[in-house]
Every structure is written in structure tokens, then in C-alpha cells.
Amino acid sequence: MKYSQRVSAMQSSPIRKLVPYALDAKSRGIKVYHLNIGQPDIKTPKGFFEAVKNFDSNVLEYAVSNGIPELIKSLQDYYTTYDMHFDKDEILITNGGSEAILFTLMAICDPGDNIIVPEPFYTNYNGFSQCINVEVNPITTKAERGFHLPSKEEITSRINSKTKGILLSNPGNPTGTVYTKEEIDMIGKIAIENNLWIIADEVYREFVYDGLSYTSFGNVKEIEDRVVIIDSVSKRYSACGARIGSIASKNKGLIAQILKLCQGRLCVPTLEQIGSVELYKTPTSYFKEVNEEYRRRRDVLYNELMKVDGVVCKKPTGAFYIVAKLPVENAEDFVIWMLKDFNKDNETVMVCPAEGFYSTEGLGRDEIRLAYILNEDDLLKAASILKEGLEKYVELKKSQLSSADA
């Protein structure tokens, strides 16, 4: 039997495809520290569970397709704290941020169109685009510059008649980069001059460090009719399993079009929406504590990485990821070696090769993404194991090269 070209062309998740190696290591009695996936260990606010527990109804009915009114109101109130003001018909509740991105791309692109995306980018941008025959048109950013955007001229040189929008995450996954106000304004001007949509994936909005100020694309009045804000409770409230995301846009026409897609999939699960209403009522003190915890974790991991000769990495200023360029030819080979052949006192570390976060072939082969989502003690131990493993791997490769040349 044949499969569609669409599904055959889709890449496997680079974040999850090496899991069998980790499972094999665990079957051999090896403890694996997971720095490969953005699953926080921060406690989910209790209000979520209490709301679900207290739900009382004789029938678990379909929810309305655009989302329950209470959750939309909670989002309106939340955005107000960031000086963004949305009407209730300018917000849609989705099955996670993933559905929000997919539905937005479906609404603004036809098959054969393309979207501008700074790379490295959240790998599922590729998957979502491929499954609807939309091309990712990459703008390469560099580790040496902290993955900040290139010049306006370089970005506009990638735009063509099939370009429909610019998709970017801020703060960035996988880079942890927080875009400056100047970068936000530059993207806004490019969008206006070229009549493009801006899809702003802002699910890590709360996680900004070192006293930096944060600018949302939703704060720029001149572009509000072309900005689509993607959000999610997953990382913000450590509620990844809830699968509650959202789309917000002042462009009511676009929201009305996306609502058709929401109606087609009927609704988002009722209980998760009820729980998420309470998540958005979480006091701001929660974020102050979580933000400080992630900052400490970032420093632990970054400081250990910087002790290894040849590692290139700027300290990230947002989210909870680091992308590091390693002194290796193939980071995936290194990741597999760490799981198959290396351990320290029966412990090893799993990280994520970064090649899958690029669209340009060959880029990212010597880079990894690390998620600093473990508690500080475990993270310090994992960082030490990673440092020792990397040093031994580099030494091993040099030895093999010398033997081959002899």
C-alpha cells in the first residue's frame, strides 16, 4: 500500500527519535538525565487540579468550538497585564499551541506558499508546514551572535511572491533568544512593506532573565491587524499534558476564518479548559519564583559548558533552552555515544541534536539543544557528566583520526 507524499516527506521528531537509545540504556541499569525535552519539573499550580476535581455534571458535553467563555475571559484579563486588549471574538482556544500554529498556517497559506522562519527554530514548524504543503523559507541566525536576527536587507532578500508570513518564537525555542525592541520593530516594518502576516509564538513570554525588558508583537499598534499571537499553558504553568493553547489576533476576519477549522474539529476538551481557567488566575508571585529558579539552572548548565574547550555558546536570556556548538563533526553521533557507550557511575545524559531545528541542509550538525528543566542538584550532576563525556568523546575522535592517518 502507498502512503501520501505529504506524510512521507514529514521528518520524524528530532527531539523524540533517539528515545529508543535512552530506553536501552535504562534497561541496562543506567540512569539517564533528560536534557533533551522541554518537560519542566516545576509543580503545576494546584488550582488546575482542584477545578477539575470539583467539576460536577451529569453529562460531559461538547464545549463550544471557540472555547468556553470563562477561559476566553481569563485570557483577556491575562493579556491586559501586558497592555494587550482583545475582544472575546478575537481569541480562540486550541488543542495546545501546536494546533494554534497549524490552524494559523492553514488559514494564511495555500499549498506551494512559504513562510519566513529564523533558524534554528522549533522543529515542529517544519512538520506543521510539510503536512499542508507549505515551505519553510529559513533565515539563518548564528550561535556567535546569540541567534539574533540578521539585517533587514538579508531578511527581505528571502521574500518572494509566494511568501505569506513570518513565523518566529520570542523568547526562542531552541535558542533562548529574546528579541530586542529594535528587532521587533524591524520585523513589523518588513511585514508592512511586504504585506505579510506575523505569527508570534510567545509561549515562553514569562521566562526572561537578567533584567531584560520584553516586547510582545501584540504591543506594536501599527501591525496589530497582521499579528497572530500563539500561546499555551504548557510551559507557562508547567501543564504540558493539559494541551490548552490559544490564538489571539485583532484581525477579526482571520479569527472568523480559523473558527471554521475549530468547528471542524468540534471542540477542545472541557475539563482541561475548566482547569486552565484557574491557571490564568495564578498570582504573579508564581512567575517570580519560577523565573529565578530557571535563571539559576541556566547559569549552572552554561558555566559547565563553558569549561569545555571548543564549545561556542552565548548565554541565553529567555525560555529554558541552550543551543551550543560543539567541537565535534556530528552531534547526533555524540548523543548516541553518550547513551550507548558512556556512563559515569552508571549515569549518563541525553541531549537533543540540533540539526533537526534547521531547514537549511547541513546546518546544526555540530550543535545540540539542552533544556535546563531538572532541579539544580540533578542539573549540576548532569552538566558535569556531559562535560566529562564530551571531553572523552573529542579525545576518542582525535585518537581514531590519528590511527587512520598512521
Side-chain angles (χ1 to χ4, degrees):
M1 300 296 290
K2 284 190 172 182
Y3 307 113
S4 71
Q5 291 182 358
R6 180 187 302 112
V7 75
S8 297
M10 286 182 66
Q11 66 178 22
S12 298
S13 170
I15 301 173
R16 295 177 181 268
K17 73 174 184 177
L18 301 185
V19 167
Y21 291 99
L23 294 176
D24 180 66
K26 292 175 184 179
S27 74
R28 292 183 277 113
I30 306 296
K31 179 176 180 177
V32 178
Y33 291 96
H34 285 276
L35 303 182
N36 62 302
I37 192 166
Q39 172 58 67
D41 66 349
I42 302 293
K43 288 185 178 180
T44 309
K46 289 183 179 179
F48 178 91
F49 302 109
E50 291 171 354
V52 173
K53 182 179 179 180
N54 293 332
F55 178 76
D56 185 18
S57 176
N58 291 326
V59 179
L60 187 59
E61 299 177 343
Y62 284 121
V64 288
S65 296
N66 58 323
I68 64 173
E70 298 90 342
L71 182 52
I72 290 177
K73 179 63 167 61
S74 291
L75 269 161
Q76 287 178 283
D77 294 342
Y78 164 78
Y79 281 125
T80 298
T81 65
Y82 283 91
D83 196 27
M84 292 185 275
H85 306 277
F86 292 100
D87 297 335
K88 61 183 180 181
D89 59 349
E90 295 172 340
I91 296 175
L92 297 170
I93 306 303
T94 59
N95 288 289
S98 298
E99 186 180 75
I101 294 167
L102 179 60
F103 279 6
T104 300
L105 291 176
M106 291 173 70
I108 70 172
C109 295
D110 289 315
D113 287 339
N114 68 77
I115 51 168
I116 298 287
V117 187
E119 62 179 0
F121 49 74
Y122 175 47
T123 180
N124 279 340
Y125 293 167
N126 244 340
F128 299 147
S129 301
Q130 288 168 344
C131 75
I132 57 172
N133 300 105
V134 171
E135 181 184 350
V136 165
N137 192 350
I139 307 163
T140 304
T141 63
K142 303 289 187 180
E144 292 81 358
R145 295 191 62 250
F147 298 105
H148 281 277
L149 296 175
S151 67
K152 181 181 179 183
E153 291 72 27
E154 187 172 340
I155 296 173
T156 55
S157 71
R158 302 291 298 170
I159 297 172
N160 57 46
S161 61
K162 289 288 189 177
T163 304
K164 292 298 188 291
I166 303 172
L167 167 59
L168 66 178
S169 58
N170 182 38
N173 175 9
T175 64
T177 301
V178 178
Y179 293 130
T180 64
K181 177 66 164 59
E182 290 73 24
E183 288 174 298
I184 301 293
D185 289 340
M186 176 180 68
I187 292 296
K189 289 174 183 176
I190 291 171
I192 292 171
E193 292 168 5
N194 295 275
N195 195 27
L196 302 177
W197 295 95
I198 298 173
I199 307 172
D201 182 348
E202 299 185 352
V203 303
Y204 298 97
R205 185 182 297 112
E206 271 71 28
F207 307 130
V208 176
Y209 316 119
D210 304 330
L212 288 182
S213 60
Y214 175 79
T215 301
S216 168
F217 281 94
N219 292 131
V220 185
K221 182 73 174 176
E222 294 78 10
I223 56 175
E224 66 177 19
D225 63 330
R226 63 182 70 246
V227 168
V228 186
I229 295 178
I230 307 298
D231 253 318
S232 167
V233 303
S234 291
K235 309 303 169 66
R236 178 170 297 133
Y237 299 108
S238 194
C240 298
R243 310 311 307 135
I244 296 295
S246 62
I247 298 170
S249 178
K250 298 299 292 183
N251 191 309
K252 293 178 186 287
L254 177 66
I255 293 293
Q257 295 298 325
I258 298 176
L259 178 57
K260 298 176 186 177
L261 299 170
C262 295
Q263 291 169 339
R265 59 87 164 107
L266 303 184
C267 68
V268 174
T270 300
L271 291 179
E272 280 75 4
Q273 291 191 73
I274 288 170
S276 295
V277 170
E278 298 307 311
L279 289 180
Y280 277 105
K281 296 178 183 177
T282 302
T284 56
S285 59
Y286 171 83
F287 294 117
K288 293 184 75 172
E289 295 172 6
V290 172
N291 194 293
E292 179 58 23
E293 176 68 21
Y294 280 133
R295 186 199 60 75
R296 288 196 302 267
R297 294 178 180 190
R298 176 203 62 176
D299 291 347
V300 166
L301 188 56
Y302 176 79
N303 291 340
E304 287 300 308
L305 282 172
M306 289 298 96
K307 293 176 182 177
V308 183
D309 289 341
V311 170
V312 177
C313 176
K314 296 286 187 182
K315 184 182 286 189
T317 53
F320 41 69
Y321 305 104
I322 294 177
V323 172
K325 186 186 292 288
L326 305 183
V328 304
E329 287 189 7
N330 189 321
E332 183 172 307
D333 181 73
F334 165 66
V335 174
I336 294 172
W337 178 83
M338 285 286 293
L339 294 169
K340 287 181 62 179
D341 302 314
F342 178 82
N343 71 82
K344 182 179 180 181
D345 300 326
N346 284 330
E347 296 183 334
T348 192
V349 176
M350 184 177 186
V351 298
C352 185
E355 187 174 8
F357 294 87
Y358 287 84
S359 181
T360 302
E361 188 174 352
L363 292 185
R365 282 177 60 83
D366 58 352
E367 296 176 359
I368 57 171
R369 186 195 77 165
L370 308 99
Y372 42 95
I373 43 70
L374 303 179
N375 68 71
E376 203 168 337
D377 289 339
D378 282 351
L379 191 61
L380 184 59
K381 188 176 291 186
S384 177
I385 294 169
L386 178 63
K387 173 181 176 293
E388 184 172 328
L390 180 56
E391 289 172 341
K392 288 194 174 182
Y393 178 84
V394 171
E395 183 180 326
L396 175 65
K397 290 301 176 181
K398 285 181 180 178
S399 176
Q400 291 174 345
L401 187 61
S402 297
S403 298
D405 291 340

